[in-house]
Amino acid sequence: MRIGELAARTGVSVRALRYYEEQDLLDAERSPSGQRHYPESAVDQVQLIQQLYAAGLSSRTIVELMPCVVGGRATPALLDRLAEERELVDRRVTDLVHARARLDSVIADATSNMRTGASCRRRATA
């Protein structure tokens, strides 16, 4: 498939796909006229790249993980790296859950304020 179709199917801009190529995250074959052509598997690969970016991984880290994702090749060092990244993602998830709980508390206090006129600010407890 051509770059425009891959962009449409993944919801990723053409510019981002070109960036993924520059970063060695994604490979494309070139036609004699220079057009990029991607295999069907590129859809899943781009979606994974997006998920890993959303989880906070850098492009450099994602490049390190791609041999396992694309070629199915793993080494003990790569497995260690994957485990480290998973621990970091777990910490981010925990931080987000705590942030959500705090936001829920602020929303509850603000809702109470609108109903009762009571202060939204929590009073310090001793």
Side-chain angles (χ1 to χ4, degrees):
M1 82 188 77
R2 292 180 32 189
I3 195 167
E5 182 181 349
L6 182 58
R9 290 183 58 188
T10 59
V12 175
S13 70
V14 168
R15 183 176 180 194
L17 295 174
R18 288 184 185 124
Y19 173 79
Y20 294 168
E21 280 189 60
E22 290 171 10
Q23 299 300 310
D24 293 325
L25 296 170
L26 187 63
D27 289 323
E29 290 188 17
R30 296 289 185 138
S31 70
S33 63
Q35 292 180 332
R36 292 170 172 88
H37 291 277
Y38 298 93
E40 185 66 30
S41 62
V43 173
D44 287 335
Q45 189 173 344
V46 168
Q47 290 170 341
L48 176 63
I49 291 166
Q50 286 289 289
Q51 290 169 338
L52 295 175
Y53 272 135
L57 278 68
S58 69
S59 58
R60 183 181 310 162
T61 299
I62 297 170
V63 165
E64 292 175 28
L65 307 179
M66 285 319 232
C68 184
V69 173
V70 174
R73 295 180 309 274
T75 64
L78 180 59
L79 290 173
D80 289 344
R81 185 78 168 112
L82 288 167
E84 288 172 21
E85 287 302 324
R86 188 179 192 297
E87 287 176 24
L88 292 172
V89 168
D90 279 343
R91 281 190 229 132
R92 287 198 246 350
V93 168
T94 299
D95 291 345
L96 285 170
V97 167
H98 288 128
R100 182 182 61 198
R102 294 286 303 266
L103 185 56
D104 287 344
S105 176
V106 169
I107 291 168
D109 290 346
T111 301
S112 176
N113 169 267
M114 291 195 57
R115 289 186 189 140
T116 66
S119 174
C120 289
R121 298 182 69 166
R122 290 183 177 253
R123 297 173 195 248
T125 56

